Each structure stands twice: as structure tokens, then as C-alpha cells.
Amino acid sequence: QMCEKFTVCGNSMEMLVQNNLNLPKVTEEDGDFLTFLSFQDKCLRKISSGLYTFRTYLEYVKETFTSEQQNVELLCYSTEHLARTIRQMVIDPNEVIIPDPATQESLRAKLKSSKNWIEKITTHLILRDFTSFMEKTVRAIRYLKNTRSFSV
């Protein structure tokens, strides 16, 4: 929908140049999906921390992508619920990094300082990276569910 409404597409060179958002990612360092057994707890911490970090970004998307505000609000709620659920699966839930209010406010201010065109690009980048993060999260949870007795 972003491409159609705002002519913002993934192959835009300007968009790639502007990508200085520090969005959470699940990387190979977090354990690949074949050797997950030894990295389960680390991966779950990383996923939960990433979901908590995405909250601020998704709130920004909700404010800027007003035509989809209801859908983004549901996405925010679901993300929060998933972050809490995965956090409960971690051996020591206190090791999950949850951004403090000052960090969230600083990030909000940085995101809001964007110009209108960059705002649309930023929204696109957040949604694109969130989708990638969630695809890897689903794979990880599915793998963990099949190799360890827990339910999500």
C-alpha cells in the first residue's frame, strides 16, 4: 500500500541512502536455525528485545500512516503481546532489553524531525524491516516449538 499511495518503493536509491534507522534484526550471530538448540535462550531474548524496540517505531508508523491507523494499532497491540509472551519463555526475563522511556522519547523526537518525504520513506523502512524481523521470528519459534516442548 505504501508503494501505491506514496510512490515509495524498495528500489529507490534515495530511500537506501536515508536508511540510518537502527532497527532490530535477528542475525546469524543469534544462531542460525539449524543450530538453534544451543542458542535458544539467546535468540528468544533477542526476539523479545527486538519486539519491545519496535514498539516505538510502530507508534511512529501509527502517527504517520493515518489511513491505516486502526490496522497499525492492532499491530502494535499484537507486537506488545508477543514480546511479553516470548519474554516469559526466557530463562531470566530480566535479561530482555526493554527500552526505557527516555530512550523511547529520544527516538520519537528523532523520527518526528523528518521532512514529509522522508517520513514516508521512514514508515516504509520500518514496516519492511518489521516484516523481515517477524518472518525470522516465526521461523525461529516454529523451529523451537518442534525441538522443545513449549507452546506459544
Side-chain angles (χ1 to χ4, degrees):
Q1 289 182 352
M2 289 290 297
C3 268
E4 292 170 15
K5 287 186 179 186
F6 303 125
T7 61
V8 174
C9 295
N11 58 359
S12 167
M13 286 303 280
E14 293 87 5
M15 186 169 80
L16 297 175
V17 169
Q18 293 296 327
N19 190 1
N20 59 357
L21 299 171
N22 192 18
L23 295 165
K25 296 188 182 349
V26 176
T27 65
E28 287 184 26
E29 294 171 2
D30 303 312
D32 65 35
F33 299 111
L34 299 175
T35 60
F36 235 33
L37 228 44
S38 61
F39 293 102
Q40 287 179 3
D41 198 60
K42 178 183 177 186
C43 183
L44 290 173
R45 280 192 319 265
K46 176 80 175 217
I47 289 170
S48 186
S49 296
L51 291 169
Y52 278 114
T53 300
F54 262 112
R55 281 188 317 188
T56 307
Y57 290 102
L58 291 174
E59 287 294 325
Y60 171 80
V61 171
K62 186 170 69 172
E63 293 171 12
T64 58
F65 199 19
T66 54
S67 64
E68 295 297 322
Q69 193 166 16
Q70 189 173 3
N71 288 332
V72 179
E73 195 159 320
L74 180 60
L75 183 62
C76 290
Y77 172 80
S78 300
T79 301
E80 174 82 23
H81 178 72
L82 183 59
R84 279 194 314 269
T85 302
I86 293 174
R87 184 173 184 235
Q88 292 171 352
M89 296 164 55
V90 173
I91 293 168
D92 182 1
N94 294 325
E95 291 183 356
V96 172
I97 299 167
I98 301 173
D100 60 74
T103 302
Q104 291 176 336
E105 190 52 44
S106 172
L107 177 57
R108 257 188 226 99
K110 178 183 171 190
L111 290 169
K112 287 181 180 180
S113 68
S114 303
K115 300 283 185 245
N116 192 31
W117 184 83
I118 294 175
E119 178 180 281
K120 293 171 185 167
I121 298 299
T122 301
T123 299
H124 177 78
L125 290 171
I126 291 168
L127 292 173
R128 183 195 68 186
D129 284 16
F130 181 74
T131 300
S132 174
F133 187 90
M134 288 306 298
E135 287 169 352
K136 291 174 181 165
T137 295
V138 167
R139 273 189 242 134
I141 298 299
R142 190 174 295 142
Y143 182 82
L144 288 173
K145 191 173 181 180
N146 290 331
T147 60
R148 177 173 144 181
S149 58
F150 73 84
S151 59
V152 177

